[in-house]
Amino acid sequence: MEVKIGVQHSPREIVLESGQTAEEVERQVTEALAGKAQLLSLTDDRGRKVLVPADRLAYVEIGEPAVRKVGFGAM
């Protein structure tokens, strides 16, 4: 699942591939924005943790799982 996070006062967005479901990511974002957590904490496919202060979140885009295509397409 591809997740893009926009951070206030930062020209670049954070992009990560996460093994979590869209519902899990949405729940964590909702909790961070509701004030239940001070940080949005997500883990990527390689096990690295991404922490973003909840008060600095500009947007979170939750995408579909990326399917990697290998080889040549049919003509």
Side-chain angles (χ1 to χ4, degrees):
M1 169 85 36
E2 183 180 71
V3 180
K4 293 182 183 178
I5 304 169
V7 181
Q8 294 177 7
H9 310 295
S10 177
R12 297 181 65 187
E13 61 189 9
I14 299 169
V15 180
L16 64 112
E17 287 290 329
S18 177
Q20 298 171 305
T21 65
E23 292 79 22
E24 291 172 335
V25 173
E26 184 177 356
R27 180 181 45 79
Q28 289 180 322
V29 170
T30 302
E31 288 176 0
L33 293 175
K36 294 181 181 178
Q38 293 182 355
L39 294 172
L40 171 62
S41 174
L42 299 174
T43 305
D44 71 1
D45 284 344
R46 296 181 181 171
R48 295 179 292 191
K49 221 170 226 202
V50 177
L51 303 171
V52 181
D55 62 341
R56 297 288 181 201
L57 288 174
Y59 64 90
V60 177
E61 183 179 316
I62 304 169
E64 292 296 319
V67 178
R68 296 181 183 220
K69 296 180 182 178
V70 178
F72 298 98
M75 295 193 160

